[in-house]
Amino acid sequence: KLNLFIIRKIGMKKEIIENILYIIKKEYQILDIILININNKKKFYSSFYEKYDNHKEDIEKTNDNQCIAIITNVPLDKNPNELKQQIRQQYIKYYPPLGNIIHSSDSPDDCEKELKLLFNETINNFNNIGTYYSQKNI
């Protein structure tokens, strides 16, 4: 069972990334961390979000074109959405009203679908995919 956490563009600050990784590592095994840049936002987000057209402006403003994907295990006694809410609560005063700087898959099945979307080679809307550790300017 896998889970996908995504740190959205608004959370892409060194100290926030380090804090979120620290929090996740306390409860989950991090299997991979990947920095993703997205060129064709409309194509990507309309596939990723069910009601993209209704919330286009908010989705693009929140997500912009860069995120960090964190792939973890899912221990039997853990719910990744509870950890996501805990992290959001920590940043709510900086990013009101929801502190919405992180996404978590709703289930291992959703994680698989989201990963397939992120790594689909037939979609030409990713640029400069590389691991977090190899990037110089985050």
Side-chain angles (χ1 to χ4, degrees), residues 5-129:
F5 290 102
I6 295 177
I7 300 176
R8 295 187 169 104
K9 175 67 176 177
I10 58 174
M12 297 284 286
K13 296 181 176 102
K14 186 176 190 243
E15 59 278 354
I16 293 175
I17 293 167
E18 289 174 351
N19 183 54
I20 290 173
L21 290 174
Y22 174 77
I23 292 168
I24 292 172
K25 284 178 187 177
K26 290 193 320 190
E27 299 186 38
Y28 295 83
Q29 178 185 4
I30 295 177
L31 305 174
D32 205 354
I33 303 170
I34 303 161
L35 177 67
I36 298 175
N37 294 309
I38 300 162
N39 275 341
N40 187 340
K41 292 189 286 190
K42 180 176 173 41
K43 183 176 178 183
F44 177 79
Y45 292 130
S46 62
S47 297
F48 198 76
Y49 291 97
E50 190 173 305
K51 298 187 181 198
Y52 170 79
D53 290 329
N54 296 346
H55 306 284
K56 176 182 187 273
E57 188 176 313
D58 288 333
I59 289 170
E60 288 188 6
K61 181 177 157 187
T62 300
N63 291 286
D64 202 356
N65 75 334
Q66 188 177 68
C67 64
I68 290 183
I70 305 163
I71 304 165
T72 70
N73 69 333
V74 182
L76 291 177
D77 61 337
K78 300 290 180 190
N79 180 343
N81 282 300
E82 290 176 7
L83 185 61
K84 171 187 77 176
Q85 293 295 41
Q86 175 188 337
I87 293 169
R88 285 181 175 182
Q89 198 62 35
Q90 184 175 347
Y91 290 99
I92 201 161
K93 69 180 180 181
Y94 302 107
Y95 305 103
L98 302 174
N100 195 7
I101 65 170
I102 190 166
H103 162 80
S104 177
S105 300
D106 291 329
S107 70
D109 288 339
D110 284 347
C111 174
E112 184 178 333
K113 290 175 192 170
E114 292 167 355
L115 287 172
K116 282 181 182 177
L117 177 63
L118 289 173
F119 299 113
N120 184 342
E121 292 180 12
T122 64
I123 297 174
N124 295 325
N125 57 353
F126 298 112
N127 188 28
N128 301 324
I129 296 174

